[in-house]
Amino acid sequence: MTYLTRRARRPFPWHIVVFLAPAVLIYTVVMIYPILASLWLSLQTRAADGPEHFAGLANYRRLLGSELYAQPLWNAVRNNVVFFAIHMLAQNPVGLLLAVLLSFRLRGSAVYRTLLFTPTVLSVVIIGFVWKLILNPAWGVQRGLLEPLGLQALDQPWLGLPGTALPTLGLISVWQNIGIPMLLFLAALVRIPDELYEAARLDGAGGWTIFRRIQLPLILPTVGIVSVLTFVGNFNAFDLIYSVQGALAGPNFASDILGTLFYRTFFGYQLQPGDEYMGAAVAGVMLTIILAGLLLYLVTVQRRLTEVEL
């Protein structure tokens, strides 16, 4: 009874509130409030020279149903899926391969790690400008690099063709951001005890068997985290495509994704007037897609990973 009384009278842990309050306040002001304000704005509208009033889901019905907005929206969604697939199939496997190679603690591995991560810390504007200089078919340096190798057939306007613009931008993004999954995978690999490797080698296991039987199963949670970060980052992408192709995401909207569509819809561009309410609706669709992807991950992949760990 005395123990229960003492437990009931335990003081409230105000020190936890003191430590958490600044972070929670900043996160609320910077993240939560803008998201909620954007969602509320997407439910509003304004008639010509009239006051702002509640419109419900009218903006979303217009976005999904009118020819003016529906075709660009579905085109941007398709391009975003392709952009995400390029990163999942190229960036993350190559990042894992580089992490495995660096985990062997080879001579100069710190230098290689620094060189591979350097593009990640560079400005996106610089990245876009440099690759436009390289790939420009008129005065770019790609011709001078390909001709000595006998690869003149690859001297194409990769950023100017509708069929190659988006894959080219995706590979540029892979080159820039591959350092992030590489470091995350490397951090997971170095935590694996050396005793497991020694036991596997005593049993005659080779490099591929060690990777498949030891390394990959133990870093599966990290693989899931990297996949989630890739998904969220790609469906929020904007800066690289804007810096290389502009707001129109040419040619003929072939590289248009949800981020550039949101920019044109909200702020307007050239002859297209801006509409903050429809722009907020586009942002609402982006948020819905991201939340749906995260929910699918939690229900399927994360649950299976939890069962395996148990």
Side-chain angles (χ1 to χ4, degrees):
M1 191 70 177
T2 306
Y3 170 77
L4 295 177
T5 304
R6 191 185 308 116
R7 185 178 179 86
R9 292 179 180 178
R10 179 177 296 178
F12 185 80
W14 289 105
H15 62 283
I16 298 179
V17 177
V18 172
F19 281 109
L20 289 180
V24 172
L25 179 62
I26 294 174
Y27 186 79
T28 301
V29 173
V30 176
M31 295 293 296
I32 302 300
Y33 174 74
I35 290 175
L36 296 178
S38 177
L39 291 176
W40 177 250
L41 185 64
S42 70
L43 303 176
Q44 308 293 312
T45 190
R46 185 195 305 272
D49 300 328
E52 183 178 271
H53 62 276
F54 183 75
L57 299 177
N59 291 330
Y60 290 95
R61 289 194 294 268
R62 184 183 176 193
L63 180 64
L64 298 173
S66 68
E67 185 178 354
L68 177 63
Y69 292 105
Q71 194 277 333
L73 175 66
W74 293 118
N75 176 63
V77 171
R78 285 193 299 269
N79 290 339
N80 243 136
V81 172
V82 173
F83 198 68
F84 168 65
I86 292 173
H87 285 76
M88 284 295 294
L89 297 176
Q91 173 182 281
N92 294 350
V94 175
L96 178 57
L97 174 62
L98 294 174
V100 172
L101 295 176
L102 292 174
S103 68
F104 292 144
R105 301 183 179 92
L106 302 174
R107 178 181 298 180
S109 60
V111 177
Y112 299 143
R113 185 167 62 246
T114 302
L115 292 176
L116 291 169
F117 193 77
T118 298
T120 305
V121 300
L122 295 178
S123 168
V124 179
V125 177
I126 295 176
I127 296 293
F129 181 73
V130 168
W131 278 102
K132 286 182 71 174
L133 291 179
I134 294 174
L135 298 176
N136 190 289
W139 39 266
V141 299
Q142 71 169 358
R143 180 170 303 173
L145 295 175
L146 294 175
E147 285 183 352
L149 301 175
L151 300 175
Q152 294 89 340
L154 297 179
D155 184 20
Q156 302 290 333
W158 299 107
L159 294 174
L161 298 175
T164 60
L166 185 62
T168 302
L169 289 166
L171 293 177
I172 293 174
S173 179
V174 167
W175 173 82
Q176 179 192 5
N177 298 301
I178 199 169
I180 296 175
M182 180 194 71
L183 285 187
L184 291 175
F185 289 136
L186 182 60
L189 288 170
V190 298
R191 292 199 303 266
I192 300 177
D194 292 334
E195 291 79 4
L196 296 179
Y197 296 132
E198 294 173 0
R201 293 190 182 97
L202 289 175
D203 290 337
W208 171 248
T209 303
I210 291 176
F211 172 75
R212 186 166 55 92
R213 297 291 187 180
I214 297 178
Q215 292 178 319
L216 186 58
L218 291 177
I219 66 170
L220 278 180
T222 303
V223 173
I225 293 174
V226 170
S227 300
V228 169
L229 293 176
T230 303
F231 176 78
V232 175
N234 280 270
F235 277 87
N236 276 323
F238 166 76
D239 44 8
L240 177 64
I241 292 182
Y242 180 80
S243 63
V244 176
Q245 303 291 73
L248 291 178
N252 195 25
F253 302 104
S255 57
D256 193 22
I257 59 174
L258 289 170
T260 50
L261 175 64
F262 163 76
Y263 178 88
R264 293 196 312 273
T265 306
F266 193 97
F267 297 103
Y269 191 76
Q270 294 183 354
L271 298 179
Q272 178 181 346
D275 188 332
E276 58 183 356
Y277 306 105
M278 294 304 299
V282 174
V285 171
M286 295 172 63
L287 178 63
T288 302
I289 293 174
I290 292 174
L291 292 179
L294 293 178
L295 181 62
L296 180 63
Y297 167 80
L298 292 175
V299 171
T300 57
V301 179
Q302 185 62 36
R303 178 178 295 179
R304 292 183 180 180
L305 290 178
T306 303
E307 292 175 354
V308 170
E309 291 176 357
L310 295 177

